[in-house]
Structures are given as structure tokens and as C-alpha cells.
Amino acid sequence: MIVSIHQPNYLPWLGYFDKIAKSDIFVIFDDVQYPRGKKGFFGNRNQIKTNNGKMWLSVPVIGKSEFKNFNEIEINYNGWNEKHIQNIYNFYKKAPYFDKYFENIKFILTKRHSNLSELSTELILYFIEVLEIDTKVMYSSEFPTEKTGGDKILYILEQLGATEYISGTGQGSLRYINEKDFSNRNIKLNWQDYEHPVYEQLYGEFIPYLSVIDLLFINGDKSKEVIIS
């Protein structure tokens, strides 16, 4: 059984869904500590493309300095969601598949969620559905334990009977991984070295590592094929 685990990022990039598609079970790491002041962090933000290049869409949060988990981090509803909706509309309304997805994304963003994990997870589950990915989704909070970090990942994998684990190669993933711990448990460690595909975009020269919505609005039903190509 192939398992992957990842924190619930906001409007994730293509590689996030490649990992999910290649797994039998994807575990949303909802009860892991939310990082404080970490550079290059995508837990509450991601990028879209505009006529002037990239634009960050960031969700303002409350309590990130209080050692809280993702599912405990509250959202500061200061009007950010209306701005995100408007920016998505302004820069993608001419995309060929805009009408297919925009209203559903707008509906999710308009709702008032109790925490960041709840918001991001609802978006992730929607994207999994429209990408027609049939991977089973579970939550780390379903496996209560006092273990942390890599030990917590191994505990979840053992509970699921995993034979293979897909891990990213970013610093956030690498700090949890001790290859010997996996081999000792007969769990194959599969490093996801995702080669970003090039696809047609609006506004000229291709920009990689954007939110998956950039791909969906342009490629529609062919988006999954692009992600896993």
C-alpha cells in the first residue's frame, strides 16, 4: 500500500496532486504544528498568474506564534477572501474553463471556516474530485499519538500497513526522514522528484509552481493528464 502525508496547504501546486494521485491513501497532516515565521512556507498562501507576473494569495491567520496545530489556527476574516475571489476573477475570467470551476471555488472561499485546515482541506477535496483522483483521503488526527515529527509519520504508516511512502524533497520533508527508520520497518521510501510540466497559460511566458487553479482554468478535464505526465 502506497501512502503519502502532507500538511493541508492553501490552493496547492501541481506536485501536491501528483503525490496524491500516486498514492493509495493520502493523509492530511492536520494536527501537525503550524510553522512560525518559516520562509518559503505555503500553508496559508500560494501564487496565481497575472498580466504582471506572479501574485501571492495569502490567508491571514491568528495564533501562529502560539505553537498551535493546523487545525487550531484561526483565520482572520478581514476581507481577504473577497480580495482573493476578485483577483481570481480578474485574471482568469477569460480562461477557457473559468466558468467550469470558478463558482465552486468562490463558494468555498465565501464560507466562514473555523480554522485554516478546514478551509484548505475543503479546497483540496474539491480539486481531488474535479481532477478525478480516486485516492482515499484520511487525516492524521484520526491516529492520536504523543509522537511527533518523523516518529509520528512512521506511526501513521504502521497503523495503515503501508509498504511504500512517497516523500517530497523539500527541507520541510527532509527534516522528518531517516531512511534507516523506514528500511527497518520494510517501508520503501519513494522520493518525489517532481518534474514540473509546461502547459499553455494566459499572459505570455510560462511560469511554473503556481496554484493548481491556473492549470484547471486553462486545461479543464485534461488537467490530471498534465499533472501526472
Side-chain angles (χ1 to χ4, degrees), residues 58-60 75-87 109 112:
S58 300
V59 179
I75 298 171
N76 179 11
Y77 278 95
N78 60 3
W80 65 267
N81 49 340
E82 289 89 349
K83 292 179 182 177
H84 286 199
I85 291 167
Q86 191 61 53
N87 281 321
L109 293 179
R112 198 174 185 92

Side-chain angles (χ1 to χ4, degrees), residues 17-53:
F17 295 98
D18 174 73
K19 181 191 289 188
I20 297 174
K22 291 176 178 175
S23 304
D24 297 308
I25 296 177
F26 175 67
V27 180
I28 295 177
F29 221 174
D30 62 333
D31 63 347
V32 67
Q33 185 179 313
Y34 187 87
R36 300 185 302 158
K38 180 180 175 183
K39 293 182 179 180
F41 176 59
F42 289 85
N44 70 323
R45 63 178 189 160
N46 220 308
Q47 298 177 103
I48 62 172
K49 191 177 183 184
T50 77
N51 56 350
N52 288 313

Side-chain angles (χ1 to χ4, degrees), residues 59-190:
V59 179
V61 297
I62 302 169
K64 67 178 181 180
S65 63
E66 300 174 8
F67 299 100
K68 291 184 177 181
N69 294 334
F70 269 83
N71 57 8
E72 299 171 327
I73 292 291
E74 296 178 58
I75 298 171
N76 179 11
Y77 278 95
N78 60 3
W80 65 267
N81 49 340
E82 289 89 349
K83 292 179 182 177
H84 286 199
I85 291 167
Q86 191 61 53
N87 281 321
I88 292 170
Y89 176 81
N90 288 342
F91 296 111
Y92 289 103
K93 61 186 176 182
K94 295 183 179 180
Y97 294 95
F98 176 78
D99 292 338
K100 185 177 179 69
Y101 306 109
F102 177 70
E103 288 300 325
N104 289 322
I105 294 171
K106 178 182 177 181
F107 175 74
I108 296 172
L109 293 179
T110 302
K111 292 169 63 176
R112 198 174 185 92
H113 296 83
S114 61
N115 59 69
L116 179 64
S117 179
E118 184 181 281
L119 164 65
S120 297
T121 297
E122 186 168 355
L123 287 165
I124 290 165
L125 293 177
Y126 170 68
F127 296 138
I128 288 173
E129 178 184 355
V130 299
L131 289 168
E132 298 183 342
I133 296 173
D134 58 4
T135 300
K136 182 178 181 180
V137 177
M138 302 183 73
Y139 302 87
S140 59
S141 55
E142 297 179 54
F143 305 91
T145 176
E146 296 299 317
K147 299 179 185 293
T148 60
D151 290 335
K152 183 168 186 171
I153 290 174
L154 288 166
Y155 175 77
I156 294 171
L157 296 177
E158 289 182 315
Q159 295 302 303
L160 291 171
T163 56
E164 183 174 341
Y165 176 62
I166 302 176
S167 175
T169 55
Q171 290 301 314
S173 299
L174 292 175
R175 65 192 178 98
Y176 288 129
I177 301 300
N178 182 327
E179 295 190 33
K180 187 175 181 180
D181 290 337
F182 286 80
S183 62
N184 287 343
R185 292 167 173 80
N186 294 316
I187 299 174
K188 180 183 177 182
L189 190 56
N190 183 352

